[in-house]
Amino acid sequence: MSLEDPTSPEADPEPVGVTEDGLDYDALEDLLGDLAIGRESHINAEAFVVRPGDVEEALVTLRDEAGFDHCSCLTAQEYEDRFESIYHLRKYDEPTQEVGVVVPAARENPVSQSANGAFRTADWHEREAYDLVGVEYEDHPDLRRILLPETWQGHPLRQDYDQEQPQVVPLREHANPLKDDHRGIDNSDTMFLNIGPHHPATHGVLHLKAVLDGEVVADVDPDIGYLHRCEEQLCQQGNYRHQIMPYPDRWDYISAGILNEWCYARAAEDLADLEVPEYAQVLRTMSAEMCRIAAHMLAAGTFALDVYGDFTAIFMYAMQDREKMMNLLEDLTGQRLMFNYLRLGGVAWDLPEPREEFFEKTRDLLDDLPERLEEYHNLITSNEIFQMRCIDTGVLEPEAAKSYGATGPVARGSGIDYDLRRDDPYGYYPELDWDVITEDGCDNYARVLVRLQEVEESAKIIKQCVDLLEDWPEEERTIQSNVPRTLKPEPDTEIYRTVEAAKGELGIYIRSDGTSKPARFKIRSPCFSNLQTLPEMSEGEYIPDLIASLGSLDIVLGEVDR
Amino acid sequence: MGEGVDSRFNSKLREAFGSTPFILTKFDKFMNWVRGSSMFMLQFGIACCSIEMMHTYAVKHDLDRFGAGVPRASPRQADVIIVPGTIVSKFTPRMKRVYDQMPEPKFVVGMGSCTISGGPFQEGYNVIKGAEEAIPVDIHVPGCPPRPEALVYGVAKLQERIANGESAPVTVKPYELEQFGDLDRDELVQHLADRIDEDDLVMRYNWADSP
Ligand code: SF4
């Protein structure tokens, strides 16, 4: 929010608990008063224990009095003697200020109050927690399964879940729009329309249940879970050192692999207290930004595909630029898509020899990029048809975006100045010169603009990294620090760490139990929260705008469903 | 007319035939050649592999050079389905439905380890251990993901098989769509009886028997 805006919440008195050097958790504890019945230390932040019936009140207090306006994630998990839901809160203005709210629930019949009244994003997060772990949230408006089929038996992330038990999954004949009963109950003029799960405009296997009034969307309900690949279970089965790293590549698979890997690396390194050599940080930063460019290119290309409706030049141009980027990444990592390049404590290997050739190729690509972007602007953003389709459609107001926990280009297109690379610094970003892009349009057009400009910023970062790498003294090129063969972090340590992935804030919560495998591994996917804003953006708009809005959210189902 | 073809239609091949523009072949052979040389693919994306599939269709690899690169959005217009990705319990009935909607003769290319065995997700509680649990597959392209070159090779192999008149036998698969009322009345079915109608189509997963 800009400071000039007189109605902005900045006009409020100073939030409780903020001091010169960060957060004063004692002040927060005082603020919560009787609501807090205990306190825990997680590596990333302190957490307050709250009774299952006081969730909403505690969250609202923290939101309004202490400024925690971003409910980043909800982790539910099972202990020997209880269930637990952890709400990870932070601030859009200052994401390093975090606090956890821990809600224990009874072993038999776990029930706790829903956080829907405080954050709208809690809706889907709680449905997921109910689906996978089986915690029930009282007063939730619509507590049903979200990832697994509605008739699924059991909650798979519980310890006593039997994976061998048979399941029956219905293929419900979707309501047929040609039947005479297609009209609404009150005989209004609405029609039910299924979009997906197999549909060219849904970018994968997403199913939208839409109700149309003429050409206007009266109601839309995204139905997800068609690509729920049990990523959390599989990460919980793997050991920290080697077996988890390949999975993040497959969450956001649109070439954003290294960005995702970095999230796991950051969480696990902080959990096990590992150092990363500076040289490796530069390599990480460079390769991650290459991934971001490739991912944003696909976003631009497929968005044009959605709006113009055919495999036109723009799509092919974008694919061409991606090919070039993928060639570079292949030279560096050995793979086109599933890089598996980061290691805990560094990266897998150094730059390919001869180094000069790699630098030259990278520079060539970067030199061409401004001209290519010019072309995209000519073909896309300055095209009149495109503008008519995108300006003032799919409007997402910043307040709604925050309540839904939107991040990444979606938030920045709504004027929210939030980028974890700058605000919660990691890697080599703080040493480099680049800008965070925001646009105030709040519409489909703004989101596209943000992505295209971010490509420029990423190019800036890569250029600086290449210069640094070129001059790096040969004897200091350490790519990995010393990491023990088996990692066994201290039992009962908990951490929640996030990075700025291509689509927004990607987070991982890990709880260790002293073994070489995580006891709980929870993924906070940016697309999951971003997709939740779709009804907000498209209800009351025309159906073609719904398609454009969906495209401009740039979701990837592998990450929505995990 | 009667004077031979319009000269603008001429080609090297046509010239080679000279004044006797007839070829003699078996009708089946000719049909199979035609089938393999002009395939309409279903535009069907599931997971990570579909990104490499898009690259195979797009510039550089350009699958269309091999007569197999025009994606159709409707299954009713397609004769090849590339299955690019992990198949999970909620999606299998839908995939089967899409497959059923394609007209005969139809062919399936399984792309990636996930369609062979479940790939890296094989141990997941929700993951089908390969596309062949639900639909017949003609060609398996291994890799995670396979490179575009590998997919092109797989499609070329499929064309070869089609030209030879071969296709995967359509047999009953472990996971079929059935009416709920036809299922054996075991504990689970009893339990779900008030939530699923007798004539709803369902798919029953017996995970214990999965490979
Ligand atoms: S085979 Fe690998 S790349 Fe392909 S869908 Fe499966 S996990 Fe993704």
Side-chain angles (χ1 to χ4, degrees), chain A residues 153-198:
Chain A
Q153 301 299 303
H155 301 282
L157 293 186
R158 281 197 182 185
Q159 276 148 13
D160 59 359
Y161 179 72
D162 172 15
Q163 213 177 311
E164 305 252 290
Q165 65 180 319
Q167 304 281 356
V168 171
V169 175
L171 171 85
R172 291 228 191 267
E173 283 305 298
H174 294 318
N176 177 0
L178 298 180
K179 270 209 264 186
D180 3 308
D181 62 359
H182 71 270
R183 283 164 197 279
I185 334 149
D186 45 2
N187 224 3
S188 62
D189 267 339
T190 56
M191 182 178 106
F192 179 76
L193 180 73
N194 276 301
I195 308 172
H198 159 65

Side-chain angles (χ1 to χ4, degrees), chain A residues 167-306:
Chain A
Q167 304 281 356
V168 171
V169 175
L171 171 85
R172 291 228 191 267
E173 283 305 298
H174 294 318
N176 177 0
L178 298 180
K179 270 209 264 186
D180 3 308
D181 62 359
H182 71 270
R183 283 164 197 279
I185 334 149
D186 45 2
N187 224 3
S188 62
D189 267 339
T190 56
M191 182 178 106
F192 179 76
L193 180 73
N194 276 301
I195 308 172
H198 159 65
H199 188 280
T202 55
H203 294 220
V205 281
L206 170 68
H207 175 203
L208 297 175
K209 298 179 192 160
V211 177
L212 304 184
D213 180 0
E215 262 193 86
V216 174
V217 179
D219 180 55
V220 56
D221 177 21
D223 174 25
I224 62 176
Y226 293 97
L227 194 52
H228 174 53
R229 303 192 276 193
C230 329
E231 305 261 14
E232 289 174 7
Q233 175 210 14
L234 292 162
C235 289
Q236 279 164 212
Q237 287 177 3
N239 64 40
Y240 291 103
R241 183 79 161 88
H242 292 299
Q243 290 176 331
I244 296 178
M245 196 58 94
Y247 285 103
D249 281 320
R250 290 162 178 80
W251 302 341
D252 176 358
Y253 44 68
I254 304 193
S255 291
I258 294 176
L259 294 155
N260 304 353
E261 288 172 26
W262 205 342
C263 186
Y264 171 61
R266 192 175 184 208
E269 279 157 7
D270 285 353
L271 182 73
D273 212 2
L274 302 175
E275 290 296 320
V276 183
E278 217 171 310
Y279 182 67
Q281 292 286 25
V282 181
L283 283 174
R284 283 182 177 187
T285 311
M286 179 188 72
S287 50
E289 291 309 309
M290 288 179 170
C291 285
R292 192 182 311 273
I293 293 186
H296 281 357
M297 285 293 175
L298 191 81
T302 48
F303 185 59
L305 187 68
D306 288 341

Side-chain angles (χ1 to χ4, degrees), chain A residues 150 153 163 165-167 169 171-172 198 223-224 228-229 233 237 247 250 322-323 330 336 338, chain B residues 43 48 52 55 61 86 88 90-91 120 123-126 144 147 191 195 200-201 203 205 207:
Chain A
E150 56 203 298
Q153 301 299 303
Q163 213 177 311
Q165 65 180 319
Q167 304 281 356
V169 175
L171 171 85
R172 291 228 191 267
H198 159 65
D223 174 25
I224 62 176
H228 174 53
R229 303 192 276 193
Q233 175 210 14
Q237 287 177 3
Y247 285 103
R250 290 162 178 80
R322 272 175 57 83
E323 279 289 349
E330 190 183 351
R336 279 168 58 88
M338 300 300 166
Chain B
Q43 187 181 345
C48 351
E52 282 296 59
H55 278 272
H61 300 99
T86 324
V88 303
K90 200 169 170 179
F91 192 63
E123 288 170 19
Y125 48 80
N126 189 27
C144 182
R147 298 178 64 89
H191 180 71
R195 295 170 58 193
D200 269 354
L201 288 177
M203 200 170 257
Y205 299 103
W207 300 110

Side-chain angles (χ1 to χ4, degrees), chain A residues 15-18 23 28 31 61-68 91 97:
Chain A
V16 176
V18 179
L23 268 183
L28 290 178
L31 172 71
T61 311
L62 287 170
R63 184 192 69 191
D64 293 344
E65 312 283 325
F68 290 97
K91 301 178 181 178
Q97 299 187 357

Side-chain angles (χ1 to χ4, degrees), chain A residues 4 7 9 25 50 79 86 134 148 150 174 182 194 196 198 216 218 242 249 281 310 344 426 472 480 482 528 530 540:
Chain A
E4 294 87 64
T7 57
Y25 287 104
V50 164
Y79 284 91
I86 309 176
L148 288 168
E150 56 203 298
H174 294 318
H182 71 270
N194 276 301
H198 159 65
V216 174
H242 292 299
D249 281 320
Q281 292 286 25
D310 215 336
L344 298 188
Y426 56 96
W472 211 276
Q480 256 188 59
N482 265 334
F528 184 75
N530 290 353

Side-chain angles (χ1 to χ4, degrees), chain A residues 227 229 231 247 249-250 253 337-338, chain B residues 46-50 52 83-87 111-116 118-121 141-146:
Chain A
L227 194 52
R229 303 192 276 193
E231 305 261 14
Y247 285 103
D249 281 320
R250 290 162 178 80
Y253 44 68
L337 204 59
M338 300 300 166
Chain B
I46 306 179
C48 351
C49 276
S50 43
E52 282 296 59
V83 183
T86 324
I87 308 153
M111 180 180 184
S113 328
C114 283
T115 57
I116 295 173
F121 301 101
V141 185
C144 182

